[in-house]
Amino acid sequence: MKEIPYKIYLDEKELPKQWYNLRADMKNKPAPLLNPATMKPMTEKELDGVFCEELVKQELDDKTAYFDIPEQIIDFYKMYRPSPLVRAYCLEKKLDTPAEIYYKFEGNNTSGSHKLNSAIAQAYYAKKQGLKGVTTETGAGQWGTALSMATAYFGLDCRVYMVKVSYEQKPFRREVMRTYGASVTPSPSTLTKVGRKILEQHPGTTGSLGCAISEAVEDATTHEGYRYVLGSVLNQVLLHQSIIGLETKTALDKYGIKPDIIIGCAGGGSNLGGLIAPFMREKLRGEADYRIIAVEPASCPSFTRGKFAYDFCDTGMVCPLAKMYTLGSNFIPSANHAGGLRYHGMSSTLSQLYHDGLMEAVSVEQTSVFEAAEYFARTEGILPAPESSHAIRVAIDQALRCKETGDKKVIVFGLTGTGYFDMAAYEKFHNGQMQDYIPTDADLQKGFDGIPPQPEE
Ligand SMILES: *Cc1c(COP(=O)(O)O)cnc(C)c1O
């Protein structure tokens, strides 16, 4: 048996040439997006008005297993990929666990997260279609940053609606986006009809992702040569993010390592969907078995307390309906929750897999997440994003369980990014001002009440 290095790096030549589309191997396909007006599946033509053509094809295709990655995207990937798979020797030692712990580190680029993997793909297809620019929303700011890097690379205009609470808490994020040429507007804003309406109904609101999405979609559909792009939730984003899992699998295979438990944080589900893609493929085909755990915040518990239903993807209800685990499109998570896992819904692909019992989900509380973040920073050196730290929390918990039972489990988790722009949240934690917020059933019911009537089976 070869000795396993601290970092398993892949060669540039080993960079995947194709993305893998998990849906191709699913027996129960994720339910199609519905047009809320007709309750019929959205057609390619209807979606083309909002999204880039090639991306719509990827969105609707649940049969093609592999998509070639265009040469220009591969060239861009080469600037920061393949990303390392790290054996967390120091963490294992500190925890005194018999478990082996590995993490796939996606924070090694200026955007500081995995989101660049899809941003560059989406910008490429927008450019290829001859568009002038794209619009989007950003919550914690990582997606907006990633997209502005990608649009700068291809010379496209980029208009970002940033959830107001983040816009105010993270002025430096905003400046990074502007450095790459994006224009950034706090949402809700008075620039759009839907923004003005939300402001009227909820004066003083700190905004939400669902609301910023509505604004960005309206902006794109009312301006010639613009399309809307989204950094998570959609099938196309999971497709692009499969590069994370494909690299992870190649690295593990090199050393004959077979994971027992794969863990990822879940906001809209893109990093987790990407990380698990090739492993879930084997699981779906009955070739191997893995325990797969999605980790979400207790303050925004879509999987663990949400409903599996058709719901709006945005607060303004301008987007198609998606069948997913949801807290209701007007659910607005507590403003004291730090980080980007605040979306009310979840990828419909992951929702279906979860519904079919192919993966598990747990929710964790904010202070225990920051305890894990700090522990990890002091042990492994990397200062993790709060989102990523949800996965760290559960990886540590699983490793500690192994210590009790003596099991030598192999644990792999996704370290999606770095937390340099989240120091205000770390500051709260250090000052003992961070609170755990868990919505009551009554709080959640308000969100569920906004879920529209379901289509007939
Ligand atoms: C956006 C983000 C997430 C959550 O998004 P998913 O689509 O669920 O992956 C997790 N970690 C980081 C660092 C992020 O920026």
Side-chain angles (χ1 to χ4, degrees), residues 197-264:
K197 191 168 144 207
I198 291 166
L199 280 173
E200 216 175 281
Q201 287 168 346
H202 308 276
T205 175
T206 52
S208 70
L209 266 183
C211 160
I213 293 174
S214 304
E215 290 209 276
V217 171
E218 181 182 320
D219 186 334
T221 50
T222 52
H223 290 93
E224 179 75 31
Y226 282 79
R227 290 293 185 281
Y228 167 70
V229 294
L230 181 59
S232 183
V233 186
L234 295 176
N235 296 319
Q236 56 187 274
V237 185
L238 268 72
L239 174 70
H240 307 146
Q241 294 297 357
S242 67
I243 191 142
I244 303 173
L246 293 164
E247 285 182 8
T248 302
K249 183 123 196 338
T250 306
L252 291 172
D253 285 349
K254 269 195 167 181
Y255 290 87
I257 307 159
K258 189 182 164 295
D260 297 296
I261 309 174
I262 303 169
I263 301 165

Side-chain angles (χ1 to χ4, degrees), residues 113-115 142 232 265-271 341 385 387-388 416-417:
S113 82
H114 66 287
K115 294 206 171 66
Q142 288 96 320
S232 183
C265 61
S270 74
N271 87 82
L341 307 176
E387 296 89 343
S388 323
T416 50

Side-chain angles (χ1 to χ4, degrees), residues 9 155 188 332 363:
Y9 280 113
I332 296 189
S363 74

